Amino acid sequence: MQYNPGWNSSSVNLLHVRAVGPGDSLHYVWSSIGAPAALLVATQSPSSALRVNWSQLLSPSPAGAIWIDPPDSVVYSTAVIFTKLFEFSEAKPSGELFYPTYDLSEFSWDSLNHTLNHTALTAELRGVPASDPGSSFSNGSLAFRVTAYEADGRDARLPSLLHTADSSQLEFVLAGVAPRGNSSRFVLEVATVEEAGAVRRLRSERSIDDEYTPTIFEVLSLVAESQNGSSGLGFLQWKATAYGSRSPRREDGIWCRAQGLQAANWTLPVSSIVQAYFGESLGSTCTISALNVSFGGEEGRVYQEKRYLSWSVLLGFGQPPRDTFSPLVISITAVALGTPLAILLLGSCLVLLAQRRRYSEYEPIN
């Protein structure tokens, strides 16, 4: 993990996470320059390196300021941008009432270096609006917590996402922010960038197994696929829940819904690492898609009590990991289904034996 590689100032945030394999390497670049964003690059060289031209990156024209060396080692690249936070309340009978939007590219961010933990492989981007007329953020903040992994496993805290060494987890946290309505609900806008030849698709999978995330039976994945659909390139994965507590429990669950994936017909915020890497192709050959992730139930009063909201999402390369039944659940299921079946078979055998013994005393009549 590198903080602002090649730059001594902490006035901006750029975190580079590099994972090295026997014949390849993966690069994650997190930054709050412009809107908060994550750049994901997979290469076929274990010695590939991130290069940053800082003077160009911080200029009004950052195209080309970030690249991977050697360039021909790159096999896949994508980006995820968190652009806006919407707040609205269901004012009856007039319907939904939207408040002024929080543009995340106009936030002021704390130095990420203060939260960087090289041992736990974690860091946190925390910010507040540069202009806050309503003082909603006077006692609160918005944060993105990053966690990298060195091996396969499962996160200890709910929603206990299953991860691989090729993935990282991001936790979106809204803490202490005063809602502007009596029944406010929040919506986070998420945009993705794909180069030519790849397309994003939103998948929803349901399972009867809620062993690791009680009462939650749906997993959503935003998967990048090659246009012929032959392989998965990258993904975002999350469970259909958020939580309203710093130490989440089942009863702290907040309903989470993805409101459709659509082609974005707007330009990305300026001076972002996305523009710095993709350059001119961002407006020509690249495909930009966006979806809204909303938090809160039908009544919209979940956030009011504790003023805390956390939502976890997994980012990675390849296909998203799939949960399977644990040996404990398989054993319990086998016992639960096998015992009645065994009793039924044993009972049938006893009945057949009893019938044979009853009629074995008689000789057949000719």
Side-chain angles (χ1 to χ4, degrees):
M1 300 180 74
Q2 297 175 295
Y3 175 68
N4 288 352
W7 185 255
N8 295 325
S9 173
S10 60
S11 59
V12 294
N13 291 312
L14 189 146
L15 175 66
H16 176 220
V17 181
R18 180 168 172 258
V20 182
D24 56 6
S25 58
L26 308 175
H27 298 266
Y28 291 84
V29 184
W30 307 86
S31 178
S32 59
I33 301 174
L39 175 66
L40 287 71
V41 183
T43 73
Q44 56 185 1
S45 169
S47 59
S48 61
L50 176 73
R51 307 298 184 194
V52 182
N53 184 329
W54 281 97
S55 59
Q56 186 177 354
L57 176 62
L58 301 178
S59 71
S61 302
I66 294 178
W67 71 96
I68 297 294
D69 191 24
D72 58 0
S73 66
V74 176
V75 293
Y76 172 66
S77 55
T78 185
V80 181
I81 311 100
F82 302 92
T83 52
K84 296 176 182 178
L85 180 69
F86 302 99
E87 180 184 351
F88 69 95
S89 62
E90 295 182 342
K92 298 177 181 180
S94 59
E96 297 176 346
L97 172 63
F98 279 85
Y99 299 97
T101 303
Y102 294 116
D103 190 337
L104 301 189
S105 65
E106 298 177 356
F107 270 46
S108 175
W109 302 92
D110 296 342
S111 174
L112 183 147
N113 196 34
H114 300 320
T115 62
L116 186 59
N117 188 324
H118 289 274
T119 303
L121 301 179
T122 59
E124 181 175 315
L125 284 169
R126 186 186 297 113
V128 297
S131 175
D132 186 19
S135 301
S136 296
F137 280 79
S138 58
N139 295 313
S141 64
L142 181 151
F144 294 93
R145 295 174 181 167
V146 178
T147 304
Y149 299 107
E150 293 182 310
D152 298 357
R154 186 181 298 278
D155 193 64
R157 299 172 69 248
L158 289 175
S160 303
L161 293 175
L162 181 67
H163 62 258
T164 67
D166 296 341
S167 60
S168 295
Q169 181 171 293
L170 182 74
E171 184 181 4
F172 165 72
V173 178
L174 197 65
V177 178
R180 291 173 285 185
N182 293 329
S183 57
S184 286
R185 294 171 59 184
F186 293 94
V187 179
L188 180 65
E189 184 180 70
V190 183
T192 62
V193 177
E194 293 295 333
E195 291 184 310
V199 62
R200 287 272 178 176
R201 303 185 190 279
L202 182 62
R203 300 176 183 173
S204 174
E205 295 185 7
R206 294 183 179 272
S207 170
I208 62 171
D209 183 18
D210 69 337
E211 176 184 5
Y212 300 105
T213 313
T215 72
I216 304 301
F217 301 95
E218 184 181 13
V219 178
L220 295 106
S221 301
L222 189 56
V223 182
E225 300 175 342
S226 55
Q227 288 188 338
N228 58 16
S230 61
S231 61
L233 302 173
F235 66 87
L236 277 77
Q237 185 186 61
W238 65 95
K239 293 193 176 182
T241 184
Y243 291 94
S245 172
R246 298 179 186 275
S247 301
R249 299 167 299 174
R250 179 184 61 82
E251 54 267 31
D252 298 319
I254 297 175
W255 188 53
C256 171
R257 183 177 65 177
Q259 300 177 346
L261 181 66
Q262 298 181 347
N265 56 2
W266 36 259
T267 57
L268 294 175
V270 297
S271 302
S272 69
I273 60 170
V274 178
Q275 288 182 318
Y277 179 82
F278 290 99
E280 299 300 328
S281 63
L282 195 60
S284 55
T285 59
C286 288
T287 301
I288 304 175
S289 304
L291 61 79
N292 290 336
V293 181
S294 64
F295 310 102
E298 295 297 335
E299 297 298 326
R301 297 182 180 274
V302 182
Y303 183 77
Q304 310 297 322
E305 182 180 349
K306 296 184 178 179
R307 293 194 178 181
Y308 189 88
L309 168 69
S310 69
W311 172 65
S312 298
V313 57
L314 195 71
L315 295 84
F317 297 90
Q319 291 287 353
R322 299 189 67 177
D323 260 323
T324 56
F325 291 103
S326 70
L328 176 62
V329 171
I330 294 175
S331 301
I332 293 174
T333 305
V335 171
L337 297 179
T339 301
L341 182 60
I343 294 174
L344 179 62
L345 291 175
L346 181 60
S348 300
C349 292
L350 292 174
V351 169
L352 290 175
L353 288 174
Q355 288 180 341
R356 292 187 63 181
R357 286 180 179 178
R358 179 181 177 185
Y359 292 103
S360 62
E361 299 175 356
Y362 297 91
E363 294 293 333
I365 299 176
N366 187 352

